[in-house]
Amino acid sequence: VNRLDVSTKRILQQNRRLAEDLKLHVQETAELQRQKGKLEEENKALKRDLSLNEEQIQSYAKDRFKHSKEVKDLQAKVKNLEKSLAQVVKDFERERERLVSKGKADVEDSEVENSGLRKLLKLKDKEHARIKRLAQDIILQRTEVEQFFLEALEHVRDEIIKERSRPSPTQDNTFITSESSTHFQGRLPHLPPRSMPAAVSKQSSSASDVKGA
């Protein structure tokens, strides 16, 4: 009996130790499960972050590729614009040189033309002055002739009145008598020879022909 009691006590003690070990094991298992769950959650979060990072990296890569392509396109456009600008500048310089050369030629032609026009203007001024002097001479001659004819008409009128006042029928009807002829002798205006235009000379010739007729 004593041996049985000792064995039983030993078994009971072992059971208690096993129970305590099991309890510790269960607690450790629960703790491990809890840590496992936590680690799994962290792992999921890390996977999500990794996925997001990968998406961001891909997005950045796409954007970088797109920006790189845009940069290349812009660089190509810049080169084309620089080339076009250089051609425009070259064409502008060529056109400017052409216009400058044409302007110089036009100025020279204008100077030559202006010189000719100035000479022609001087000739015209001289011709105008000569014609003006001739016109003044013609006006002066016309005034003297008109004055002579007015005096002649006045004298003829007086002679007609005298003739009409005389009663003698045998007296001739000559309007201009020897007295009137004597009256006009020496009163004709002296017209010095002047150089006249062709039109004035022709008019004078026509008047002389009419008087002769």
Side-chain angles (χ1 to χ4, degrees):
V1 176
N2 292 328
R3 289 180 182 179
L4 182 61
D5 293 335
V6 172
S7 299
T8 302
K9 289 179 181 179
R10 186 180 299 158
I11 292 170
L12 290 175
Q13 288 176 356
Q14 290 177 355
N15 288 335
R16 282 196 295 269
R17 283 196 300 269
L18 290 174
E20 291 176 358
D21 292 339
L22 181 61
K23 182 178 180 181
L24 290 174
H25 181 72
V26 169
Q27 291 178 352
E28 290 176 357
T29 302
E31 180 66 21
L32 290 174
Q33 290 292 335
R34 187 180 65 80
Q35 292 178 0
K36 180 183 177 182
K38 184 177 180 180
L39 290 173
E40 287 177 350
E41 292 294 331
E42 291 179 356
N43 190 19
K44 290 180 181 179
L46 290 174
K47 285 182 179 180
R48 285 195 301 270
D49 294 339
L50 180 61
S51 178
L52 291 175
N53 289 332
E54 288 178 351
E55 291 179 357
Q56 290 178 354
I57 290 172
Q58 291 178 357
S59 177
Y60 291 154
K62 290 180 180 178
D63 293 340
R64 184 182 180 85
F65 178 77
K66 183 178 179 181
H67 291 161
S68 178
K69 188 175 182 300
E70 290 177 353
V71 168
K72 289 181 179 179
D73 294 339
L74 290 174
Q75 288 177 348
K77 288 181 180 179
V78 168
K79 289 182 179 179
N80 292 331
L81 289 174
E82 289 177 349
K83 186 177 180 180
S84 300
L85 181 61
Q87 184 64 34
V88 168
V89 171
K90 186 177 180 180
D91 294 340
F92 173 77
E93 290 296 331
R94 188 184 299 113
E95 182 67 16
R96 185 179 67 83
E97 292 177 358
R98 186 186 70 80
L99 291 176
V100 169
S101 178
K102 184 177 181 298
K104 289 181 179 178
D106 292 341
V107 169
E108 292 177 356
D109 294 340
S110 298
E111 289 178 352
V112 172
E113 184 177 359
N114 290 336
S115 177
L117 290 175
R118 284 193 291 270
K119 292 180 180 179
L120 181 60
L121 182 61
K122 288 181 180 179
L123 293 176
K124 291 293 183 181
D125 290 339
K126 291 180 180 179
E127 183 69 16
H128 179 71
R130 188 176 70 83
I131 293 174
K132 188 176 181 180
R133 288 195 299 272
L134 291 176
Q136 290 177 350
D137 294 340
I138 291 171
I139 291 173
L140 180 60
Q141 293 175 7
R142 178 182 174 186
T143 303
E144 293 175 356
V145 172
E146 286 178 350
Q147 184 63 30
F148 169 76
F149 279 113
L150 287 175
E151 292 180 0
L153 290 173
E154 184 67 22
H155 185 75
V156 169
R157 188 177 64 81
D158 293 340
E159 288 295 326
I160 292 172
I161 292 173
K162 287 180 183 180
E163 288 296 326
R164 287 180 180 178
S165 63
R166 291 177 184 178
S168 177
T170 59
Q171 198 171 10
D172 59 4
N173 295 325
T174 302
F175 292 157
I176 302 177
T177 62
S178 60
E179 182 180 359
S180 63
S181 298
T182 304
H183 175 75
F184 287 108
Q185 287 179 356
R187 293 179 61 84
L188 288 171
H190 177 65
L191 303 177
R194 292 183 175 91
S195 59
M196 297 183 182
V200 176
S201 300
K202 185 176 180 181
Q203 184 178 0
S204 301
S205 301
S206 301
S208 298
D209 295 341
V210 172
K211 287 182 180 179

